[in-house]
Amino acid sequence: MAGKKLASRLGVVAATVGLAVGAVAGTAEARSDNISTWYSGRCNTVNWFCLYYSPDASGASLGYPHADADIHDLGNYRYANDGAGAGQVVRNNAASAEDVSNCNVGIWYSTDFTGDSEWLSPWMGGNLTFLRNNEASISVDDNTHCPGTGMG
């Protein structure tokens, strides 16, 4: 009888340790990729950042001045011009982005610049990959001349 109780207790301990190890192994650092691949010139105001509803700088766009640096929640913005996506909320609804400045720009999965991110080098645009239709905030930073919380 004592052997069965000991075996039962050891089984509970082993299961608890297994769950704890699994929880630690399941946590991962946030992913961050540079998506800079093109420059369209559609976002043509210097020191602006643009998000587009569709890939390759097409569809409706949101232009945003770097002077304001950060958007903590893209859910507060709508695509204002003509084209596919016009009038829709920007958050979780963008397929490409363009950076018209000397700063890096980060695009984050969650509000307040948290979670996975994709970023653009200065004067570059790119199609969102793992963040396509899954973006919630943007921030400008190059660690020297640009304000905001950025890629580090």
Side-chain angles (χ1 to χ4, degrees), residues 56-121:
D56 302 318
S58 61
S61 67
L62 167 74
Y64 194 76
H66 282 198
D68 294 333
D70 304 325
I71 297 179
H72 292 263
D73 185 355
L74 288 165
N76 298 323
Y77 296 83
R78 292 186 177 275
Y79 292 112
N81 56 2
D82 294 334
Q88 293 191 32
V89 172
V90 175
R91 182 175 175 173
N92 297 330
N93 227 354
S96 58
E98 192 165 10
D99 177 13
V100 186
S101 77
N102 295 322
C103 306
N104 292 322
V105 174
I107 306 147
W108 275 270
Y109 176 78
S110 298
T111 58
D112 298 317
F113 329 114
T114 58
D116 291 341
S117 66
E118 294 182 330
W119 60 280
L120 292 167
S121 300

